[in-house]
């Protein structure tokens, strides 16, 4: 059992606990009062990515900020057949279970990057649970793979590197995990100095664990395989919850896709806005992100 690390300087008023769900231990930070809001981070981050916005949101909402399975201080199971243990279906079921154990049968969801892909699947698999949905700096996974071109492959090379068979990417990253992590983040952040050094230290600590690096690869392998199977089976379904799409005006997603239109192919009620930043508005442009979240939620 991993010791429960607490970060009161970054998330004042929050508490931390481990929640067992679906045979997996999920490290979870909670804080605030009001309607429940689940916040799901991306790769290669963990829940502290929300530290610039979660305390403000906690004045109006009960914030639940977990580490996804495989990330941060949550459990890191083996990928299993077809990497199914890291399918977005399995990862979404974890988070629905966490919310139910906390007493929340229906809630709002904000997801960034991989967390947005988990939230997308959650909105399809558990529509009765998702009241509103915010997806940050993503287009649908199936759309991005289907429309792959040289520019996308150049900008998002890790989508094709991390899916290579075990242990190729794991061994190459292990040569210098800090370099890979910091280069990855630096390539996506367009406002220098946006990542708090204390948070970067936690990203490095977590990424130093070979089990997390392997889990991240399994997450991407699932996205390029079983997740696409699930998406194809649901090709005619639409997200029912109101959806807000946000993206970085200086980033890749907004440059390569009409973000709102790609989500209108997948959901019945979509609005969206660009934010003047790169991939991570929660760290680069927290005030503008809060403005958009407050108006929608």
């Amino acid at each position: 059992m991993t010791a429960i690390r607490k970060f009161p300087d970054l998330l004042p008023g929050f508490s931390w606990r481990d929640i067992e769900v679906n045979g997996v231990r999920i490290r979870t930070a909670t804080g605030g009062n009001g309607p429940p809001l689940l916040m799901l981070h991306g790769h290669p981050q963990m829940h502290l990515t929300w530290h610039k916005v979660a305390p403000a949101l906690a004045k109006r909402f009960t914030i639940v900020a977990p580490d996804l399975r495989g990330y941060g201080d949550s459990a890191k199971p083996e990928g299993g057949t077809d990497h199914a243990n890291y399918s977005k279906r399995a990862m979404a079921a974890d988070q629905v279970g966490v919310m139910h154990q906390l007493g929340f049968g229906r809630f709002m969801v904000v997801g960034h990057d991989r967390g947005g892909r988990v939230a997308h699947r959650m909105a399809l698999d558990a529509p009765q649970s998702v009241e509103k949905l915010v997806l940050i700096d993503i287009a649908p996974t199936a759309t991005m793979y289907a429309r792959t071109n040289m520019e996308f492959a150049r900008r998002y090379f890790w989508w094709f590197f991390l899916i290579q068979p075990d242990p190729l990417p794991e061994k190459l990253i292990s040569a210098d995990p800090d370099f890979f992590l910091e280069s990855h983040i630096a390539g996506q952040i367009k406002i220098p100095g946006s990542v708090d050094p204390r948070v970067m230290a936690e990203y490095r600590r977590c990424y130093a664990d070979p089990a997390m690096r392997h889990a991240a690869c399994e997450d991407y392998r699932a996205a390029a395989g079983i997740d696409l199977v699930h998406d194809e089976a649901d090709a005619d379904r639409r997200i029912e919850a109101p959806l807000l799409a946000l993206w970085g005006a200086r980033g890749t997603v907004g440059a390569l896709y009409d973000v709102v239109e790609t989500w209108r192919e997948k959901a019945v009620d979509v609005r969206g806005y660009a934010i003047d930043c790169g991939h991570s508005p929660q760290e680069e442009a927290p005030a503008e992100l809060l403005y958009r979240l407050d108006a929608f939620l």
Side-chain angles (χ1 to χ4, degrees):
M1 179 69 70
T2 303
I4 296 180
R5 296 173 66 87
K6 302 178 181 181
F7 306 93
D9 56 332
L10 292 167
L11 291 174
F14 278 64
S15 61
W16 285 260
R17 73 191 82 179
D18 285 333
I19 297 177
E20 295 282 341
V21 58
N22 301 328
V24 176
R25 173 181 50 78
I26 301 295
R27 178 64 48 82
T28 307
T30 57
N33 292 284
L37 175 60
L38 174 64
M39 306 190 76
L40 302 176
H41 67 85
H43 169 270
Q45 293 91 357
M46 35 84 84
H47 73 274
L48 290 180
T49 193
W50 303 114
H51 77 103
K52 293 181 181 179
V53 296
L57 290 168
K59 296 175 182 178
R60 292 180 51 200
F61 303 98
T62 298
I63 303 300
V64 180
D67 290 340
L68 295 169
R69 74 158 62 187
Y71 289 87
D73 289 313
S74 287
K76 300 164 180 65
E78 286 300 314
T81 303
D82 295 330
H83 318 290
N85 286 336
Y86 289 90
S87 69
K88 304 311 152 298
R89 173 161 286 161
M91 296 171 83
D94 290 345
Q95 302 307 326
V96 172
V98 164
M99 295 302 280
H100 286 180
Q101 287 201 35
L102 292 172
F104 304 126
R106 188 165 170 80
F107 46 88
M108 295 169 282
V109 187
V110 175
H112 172 243
D113 189 78
R114 311 310 290 176
R117 302 187 192 286
V118 173
H120 177 194
R121 175 44 58 186
M122 182 187 299
L124 293 173
D125 286 358
Q128 72 284 355
S129 294
V130 178
E131 182 178 352
K132 291 183 177 181
L133 180 64
V134 181
L135 302 178
I136 300 176
D137 212 58
I138 64 168
T141 304
T143 301
M144 293 177 77
Y145 271 124
R147 299 180 188 176
T148 291
N149 57 21
M150 177 65 80
E151 185 63 19
F152 174 67
R154 191 192 314 277
R155 290 177 181 237
Y156 268 31
F157 75 90
W158 56 90
W159 273 47
F160 308 95
F161 171 55
L162 297 178
I163 67 176
Q164 298 305 309
D166 180 21
L168 177 62
E170 288 92 336
K171 279 189 173 293
L172 294 177
I173 296 169
S174 71
D176 195 337
D178 283 355
F179 177 79
F180 182 82
L181 169 73
E182 292 170 15
S183 298
H184 183 92
I185 292 175
Q188 293 193 300
I189 294 288
K190 303 304 180 184
I191 300 179
S194 295
V195 182
D196 188 297
R198 297 167 297 174
V199 175
M200 182 62 82
E202 285 302 305
Y203 294 165
R204 284 196 297 266
R205 176 185 67 84
C206 295
Y207 222 71
D209 182 357
M212 179 179 158
R213 301 194 299 269
H214 175 62
C217 293
E218 290 293 282
D219 174 9
Y220 280 85
R221 289 168 182 142
I226 193 168
D227 289 345
L228 295 178
V229 174
H230 294 159
D231 287 346
E232 178 61 27
D234 286 334
D236 295 330
R237 294 183 58 206
R238 296 294 181 268
I239 295 168
E240 299 170 10
L243 190 161
L244 173 65
L246 301 172
W247 64 93
R250 308 186 200 180
T252 293
V253 172
L256 299 187
Y257 308 97
D258 183 329
V259 181
V260 172
E261 287 306 311
T262 68
W263 285 109
R264 284 182 176 153
E265 296 171 5
K266 306 294 182 182
V268 298
D269 180 359
V270 181
R271 67 215 71 180
Y273 306 95
I275 293 177
D276 185 22
C277 64
H279 179 59
S280 298
Q282 70 276 11
E283 294 182 298
E284 298 179 76
E288 189 173 354
L289 177 61
L290 281 169
Y291 170 77
R292 293 299 181 188
L293 293 179
D294 282 338
F296 179 70
L297 300 175

